[in-house]
Amino acid sequence: MSEYQYYEFVAVDRQLTRDEMDQLRSISSRAKISSTHFCNTYNYGDLKAQPEQMLRDYFDAFVYDSNFSYRRFIVKMPKACFDRRLLERYFPGEHSCFKPSRDHWLIEFCYSDEDCYDDNWWEEGSEGWMGSLLSIRSELMRGDYRSLYIAWLAALEDDEVAENAGEIPVPPGLSDLTASQSALCDFLKLDKYIVEAAAKNSPDASEVNLESCIDNWLDDLPLAHCKKIVKSLLLDESGAVRAEKIASLLKAERNDPAVSQQTTAELKNKARELKAEGLRRAEEERRKELDKYIVDVAAKEPAYWRRVDELFEKRGSSAVYQELSTKLRDLHLVAVREDKVTAYKKRVADLQLRYAKKQSHWQAMRRANFDATTVSGS
């Protein structure tokens, strides 16, 4: 299997200069580069730069995907958004993590399975991850920590959290994730039942009124300080000053998430119980759908047998073979349900006599793993 690696960077707070774009071109001659974007795919070789350094120098978000079960999503956040103690709670493991720089945090969400290649990587489409995940950055700036908690749950599933450890603070709204947070669960291949189990201890989300926060802040601010802030906002073309100030206001306004009393072992057990119940319900629903389907086929049984005859009369083709196998399987389901298997086998035996020369039809059904018990002697 050939190697596949996908790199994508996005600048949110500012546009890149022409000199910066030229510097990026020296890193890759084939990458798609614009004033806000860098994207490249590698089948041989690799990116000639460290993604973390490119984030520090140029960009605000990064997605990496590959076909060997390793993927990363990193956002660059103003330091005013978090203190180290909070981040240490949510990132106890080696995969998802945080790294400091002078003015920012690099918050990394990582999935890794070192034991296997990902045979289905192409189904998800690497190109779509950045669009699905990018809003997590603005959510974090508004003080929404659900994505951090999702990273902690992924560490828990990877056994990077001790079984007897207490659960960390559960943010509000875990039972009603945003589209980006749901995409992050998919990106990290997080079992939905562990999220559902944790959500049992999550209060409903409540929006902080930003306008009210600003009013309260301005009421206590000296006039000279107000002038200084207005000047910095007007001179800041990137919007970074505004983002950092709003982040600090919202951080001060929000209450710390409540700490659950259950241990991680209890959380895992609850997830297993929910999964077992979910599988039981899914199986029950599948059986109901199958019963309904069989009743519908039984009502049309004579027409099904006539169609089987028509298909044997037709010239062989993949479409004919597929429909023939499906029709006979459906008729066998009816026979089993109505205790008419002997009559069914007799009709199949009659088909074998009448269409003995249609060996390609019978062979095609065997290649399609048609149940031998439904075609006696074939």
Side-chain angles (χ1 to χ4, degrees), residues 62-295:
F62 164 62
V63 162
Y64 171 84
D65 196 15
S66 70
N67 65 339
F68 44 89
S69 295
Y70 183 56
R71 52 175 50 159
R72 308 169 73 192
F73 172 59
I74 308 179
V75 289
K76 183 171 73 175
M77 305 290 300
K79 270 203 170 172
C81 292
F82 314 107
D83 58 52
R84 177 180 286 273
R85 185 172 57 86
L86 181 140
L87 292 175
E88 286 173 345
R89 286 179 175 179
Y90 288 110
F91 294 100
E94 297 180 356
H95 293 133
S96 294
C97 60
F98 68 94
K99 298 173 185 176
S101 63
R102 188 181 65 181
D103 300 316
H104 298 89
W105 296 110
L106 298 183
I107 310 295
E108 176 169 354
F109 305 88
C110 177
Y111 168 79
S112 177
D113 184 352
E114 298 175 357
D115 296 330
C116 67
Y117 269 76
D118 186 354
D119 295 330
N120 299 317
W121 62 269
W122 56 272
E123 293 180 355
E124 294 175 321
S126 303
E127 293 83 358
W129 281 123
M130 182 65 82
S132 298
L133 297 170
L134 186 57
S135 292
I136 285 172
R137 184 174 185 267
S138 59
E139 291 167 359
L140 285 169
M141 282 190 171
R142 294 196 300 271
D144 185 342
Y145 296 158
R146 283 176 287 183
S147 57
L148 302 183
Y149 188 82
I150 288 168
W152 180 83
L153 287 176
L156 178 64
E157 281 210 315
D158 289 339
D159 296 323
E160 294 182 325
V161 181
E163 282 282 320
N164 59 351
E167 189 181 352
I168 62 168
V170 184
L174 204 61
S175 61
D176 186 23
L177 299 178
T178 66
S180 290
Q181 291 159 4
S182 295
L184 181 61
C185 291
D186 294 337
F187 186 79
L188 298 176
K189 298 186 183 294
L190 187 61
D191 188 283
K192 67 177 182 178
Y193 295 105
I194 194 75
V195 180
E196 186 180 341
K200 301 291 184 182
N201 296 310
S202 173
D204 293 337
S206 58
E207 286 295 321
V208 174
N209 188 320
L210 178 59
E211 186 174 351
S212 176
C213 289
I214 294 173
D215 287 338
N216 294 335
W217 173 62
L218 290 175
D219 286 343
D220 298 329
L221 211 59
L223 180 60
H225 198 173
C226 284
K227 289 181 178 179
K228 183 179 179 181
I229 290 175
V230 170
K231 182 178 179 180
S232 65
L233 288 172
L234 292 175
L235 292 175
D236 176 40
E237 296 181 1
S238 71
V241 173
R242 175 182 179 276
E244 289 187 25
K245 178 49 63 180
I246 288 176
S248 65
L249 290 175
L250 291 173
K251 178 183 174 184
E253 187 69 19
R254 286 186 182 274
N255 296 321
D256 286 338
V259 178
S260 170
Q261 298 303 309
Q262 68 180 347
T263 65
T264 56
E266 291 169 337
L267 178 58
K268 280 187 169 182
N269 287 336
K270 183 62 177 177
R272 282 192 284 268
E273 291 172 5
L274 290 171
K275 186 170 187 176
E277 176 62 20
L279 293 174
R280 186 194 64 77
R281 288 198 303 266
E283 178 61 19
E284 186 177 293
E285 188 62 29
R286 188 194 69 80
R287 288 182 179 278
K288 286 181 181 178
E289 289 294 323
L290 181 60
D291 286 344
K292 183 175 178 293
Y293 180 76
I294 293 173
V295 168

